[in-house]
Amino acid sequence: MTHLKFLFQKENYIDAVDPALYGSFIEHMGRAVYSGIYEPGHKSSDEKGYREDVAKLIKELNISTVRYPGGNFVSGYHWRDGIGPQDQRPVRLDYAWLTKETNQFGIHEFAEWAEKNSITPMIAVNLGTGTPQEAGYFIEYCNVKEGTTLSNLRQQHGRHEPYGFKLWCLGNEMDGAWQTCHLDAEDYVKKACETAKILRWVDRDIKLVACGSSSSLQHTFPEWDRIVLEGLYEQVDYLSCHHYFENRTGNPQDFLASFVQMDNFIHTIVATADYVKAKLRSKKTMMISFDEWNIWSIDGEPWQDYFTDHKRLYEVAPPILEQRYTFLDALVFGGLMCSLINHCDRVKMASLAQLVNVIAPILTQPGGEAIKQTIFWPFQMVSQFGRGVALRYFARVPVIDTVHGTSKTVQSAAVFNEETQQIAFFALNTDPEKAFDVTFNLEDFGVTSIERHVALYGDELDACNTFEQPDNVIPKILPLSDEGRINKQVSLPSLSWNMVVLNVNQ
């Protein structure tokens, strides 16, 4: 048994955790929308077709924002296709995912679903096949109260008050050659700049997100980010970044160290943004929207058959990218969430991609049940208790060498919630054999007590939750050792994800 000591001080903090860090993403892709959040006729659906069994699980996740309608889909999407009477909407081919889009779910349905679930929308505009003028018409339809052709059209469609969307993304992954009408950085800046001007002329109160790099593996990273920021620094509020993480080497220890890859990615983006700030002599500090992230085992998944079987192309909402997450995936996922918290001074928004069915924490059967995947649990724990101020701390933790470089054997984060007077400590123990005894020095917080210690541990690395056995991988409550007025101690099992909640009673 190895012993670790963590010293926390109230004034030694990183920054407040923005609730938008716990956002997600719904794209017209696979079954994310149809038979995901929306399935008219389902036994749990309301009169509008929104699945309430799924909504219940989303509520458990405490989702703050949802990015919509894409994703790659948005670069070929025209928002007018999804408005007005549903029986009059066109059926289109989607170039991004080679599917058929019925447009039965559009901006009105999304806004209604988001309001029903107390979710803040983050709207992406089409900067692929779309134009700055179309983006301007889109925000006019959505945000202008009345008195124009498009605001009046919205009212004719049954929505009298404006939607009032305040978060807008200037396209999606325009650095990627896979993107419909991909642009190089200089051309993207020109198009995004003109779009930003029009969007702000329509609504001055909006926040804008520019496309940053879609992966640290892109050959244009971080040069793309530099060029985009130099051209758009004063026009936007956030720079986006995207990254998916997979077990490329097949070594669990390398995979568990994915948080190092995320840390390095964020560090480079921050350094690039700060360089541009200095070069432009700007007084503004650029914040980051990590608005696509997750674990995605790209190779060897059954969904790839869809893209290689030409007889199946252009189906309506086929089951693609429906990854079945394992216990190992949940551990890696927890480590990534710690990194997001530890960078909350610059990463203000994040969107888990995606929310339902498509590489998602929630999995549904058409006409059937909805279950929690393994990654549901670390997200739910951090989203529920990781509200407040992220704390820095002093601790000496053993390290190991991985494909990502030197990695801590225990990856952790801590958040102090002044309102509830609680400290939430989140920790991933990557060691396959050793448990770690952790002592918390909380003298600066006065008298404390441990309320709970829950963990994911003791399962086979490839264990999954299934419709037949939905509770294969679930958190377990661990016994507490609450001795001493100042120093509190818990034990982190080998290969485990942990949440420890401490009460502060000053």
Side-chain angles (χ1 to χ4, degrees):
M1 184 75 70
T2 303
H3 197 92
L4 305 178
K5 296 181 180 180
F6 285 77
L7 171 63
F8 294 92
Q9 295 173 321
K10 187 179 295 186
E11 299 304 319
N12 188 17
Y13 60 89
I14 300 168
D15 204 350
V17 177
D18 193 312
L21 200 68
Y22 306 124
S24 192
F25 179 35
I26 284 288
E27 180 176 0
H28 283 257
M29 175 184 181
R31 297 192 307 115
V33 174
Y34 305 111
S35 76
I37 63 173
Y38 179 75
E39 189 175 355
H42 188 276
K43 61 184 178 181
S44 79
S45 293
D46 65 12
E47 69 282 1
K48 298 294 184 66
Y50 309 123
R51 284 188 60 158
E52 295 191 335
D53 59 339
V54 173
K56 181 180 178 181
L57 297 183
I58 292 171
K59 186 176 182 179
E60 285 187 47
L61 286 172
N62 297 290
I63 296 294
S64 55
T65 66
V66 167
R67 183 166 165 258
Y68 174 86
N72 294 349
F73 173 81
V74 77
S75 292
Y77 176 65
H78 291 276
W79 62 271
R80 294 172 188 258
D81 291 344
I83 63 174
Q86 289 174 303
D87 62 357
Q88 297 178 23
R89 296 180 187 177
V91 176
R92 303 286 192 193
L93 298 182
D94 167 34
Y95 307 138
W97 303 111
L98 305 183
T99 58
K100 192 179 293 181
E101 175 53 53
T102 66
N103 287 301
Q104 292 301 290
F105 189 98
I107 198 65
H108 173 76
E109 288 76 25
F110 174 72
E112 191 172 58
W113 171 82
E115 289 171 355
K116 180 180 175 70
N117 291 283
S118 302
I119 286 169
T120 299
M122 179 189 291
I123 307 299
V125 299
N126 177 355
L127 288 192
T129 62
T131 66
Q133 179 66 86
E134 279 301 312
Y137 289 153
F138 189 12
I139 194 171
E140 179 185 339
Y141 180 88
C142 295
N143 284 15
V144 172
K145 183 174 177 60
E146 59 189 356
T148 70
T149 296
L150 289 171
S151 61
N152 291 344
L153 181 62
R154 185 197 67 245
Q155 293 184 341
Q156 292 171 27
H157 291 158
R159 174 74 182 211
H160 183 75
E161 293 300 316
Y163 297 119
F165 300 139
K166 297 304 180 185
L167 294 175
W168 292 81
C169 300
L170 299 169
N172 174 78
E173 292 186 357
M174 298 308 297
D175 64 325
W178 56 86
Q179 202 69 210
T180 305
C181 295
H182 151 71
L183 300 170
D184 62 25
E186 291 82 2
D187 287 339
Y188 170 72
V189 166
K190 294 173 186 176
K191 194 171 186 177
C193 183
E194 298 309 309
T195 304
K197 284 158 56 177
I198 292 176
L199 292 176
R200 288 200 191 277
W201 284 337
V202 177
D203 188 340
R204 295 182 180 181
D205 296 329
I206 61 173
K207 300 290 186 181
L208 295 178
V209 184
C211 282
S213 289
S214 54
S215 170
S216 66
L217 304 179
Q218 280 288 89
H219 73 278
T220 54
F221 173 74
E223 186 69 359
W224 168 279
D225 305 82
R226 179 191 65 78
I227 296 170
V228 166
L229 286 173
E230 287 183 1
L232 295 173
Y233 200 88
E234 299 302 335
Q235 281 74 38
V236 301
D237 303 282
Y238 303 89
L239 180 71
S240 78
C241 64
H242 295 176
H243 215 299
Y244 293 95
F245 303 87
E246 63 173 320
N247 190 0
R248 292 182 178 274
T249 68
N251 182 340
Q253 288 301 302
D254 287 336
F255 192 27
L256 287 163
S258 293
F259 61 86
V260 177
Q261 188 179 21
M262 177 183 268
D263 287 337
N264 292 338
F265 186 45
I266 294 172
H267 285 310
T268 302
I269 296 170
V270 168
T272 303
D274 288 347
Y275 163 77
V276 174
K277 176 184 178 180
K279 181 178 179 180
L280 299 180
R281 307 298 193 265
S282 176
K283 295 181 180 179
K284 179 173 72 175
T285 298
M286 184 60 62
M287 298 302 169
I288 296 171
S289 175
F290 210 133
D291 48 39
E292 280 190 41
W293 73 276
N294 203 344
I295 293 162
W296 181 3
S297 299
I298 296 172
D299 295 324
E301 288 295 313
W303 60 264
Q304 288 188 318
D305 294 340
Y306 177 80
F307 298 103
T308 57
D309 184 353
H310 293 283
K311 294 179 181 180
R312 292 189 59 203
L313 295 183
Y314 294 111
E315 295 179 3
V316 174
I320 56 175
L321 276 69
E322 297 192 6
Q323 180 162 337
R324 303 303 174 94
Y325 285 106
T326 66
F327 170 61
L328 176 59
D329 292 328
L331 297 180
V332 176
F333 188 97
L336 296 171
M337 291 214 74
C338 287
S339 285
L340 290 176
I341 291 174
N342 290 333
H343 291 284
C344 71
D345 56 331
R346 298 301 291 271
V347 181
K348 293 299 181 182
M349 299 194 295
S351 302
L352 171 64
Q354 292 191 23
L355 184 54
V356 185
N357 288 330
V358 179
I359 48 172
I362 300 169
L363 193 63
T364 73
Q365 294 172 316
E369 304 303 315
I371 63 170
K372 304 171 183 177
Q373 294 229 66
T374 61
I375 64 171
F376 182 99
W377 294 111
F379 190 100
Q380 187 267 346
M381 292 180 200
V382 179
S383 179
Q384 181 176 358
F385 288 94
R387 310 271 176 154
V389 175
L391 298 174
R392 289 191 176 91
Y393 47 84
F394 300 100
R396 290 184 178 179
V397 178
V399 297
I400 58 172
D401 291 327
T402 72
V403 70
H404 304 298
T406 301
S407 174
K408 295 176 290 186
T409 52
V410 175
Q411 157 76 333
S412 59
V415 179
F416 172 54
N417 188 322
E418 189 169 9
E419 183 178 342
T420 63
Q421 289 293 292
Q422 289 182 324
I423 297 171
F425 177 76
F426 308 102
L428 165 67
N429 180 3
T430 69
D431 196 294
E433 298 178 355
K434 292 181 182 177
F436 288 93
D437 277 345
V438 174
T439 297
F440 304 108
N441 185 325
L442 300 163
E443 182 176 5
D444 200 41
F445 288 88
V447 179
T448 59
S449 61
I450 300 177
E451 179 182 291
R452 75 188 74 174
H453 179 190
V454 296
L456 295 172
Y457 73 100
D459 294 294
E460 296 294 326
L461 291 181
D462 60 355
C464 294
N465 292 337
T466 66
F467 289 104
E468 296 73 26
Q469 295 179 303
D471 296 327
N472 276 344
V473 180
I474 59 174
K476 305 174 182 70
I477 299 175
L478 278 73
L480 302 177
S481 175
D482 192 12
E483 297 179 0
R485 177 178 180 277
I486 295 172
N487 295 319
K488 306 297 176 183
Q489 183 171 303
V490 296
S491 181
L492 310 179
S494 59
L495 283 182
S496 64
W497 162 255
N498 301 262
M499 179 183 74
V500 181
V501 178
L502 302 110
N503 294 321
V504 177
N505 304 305
Q506 292 184 325

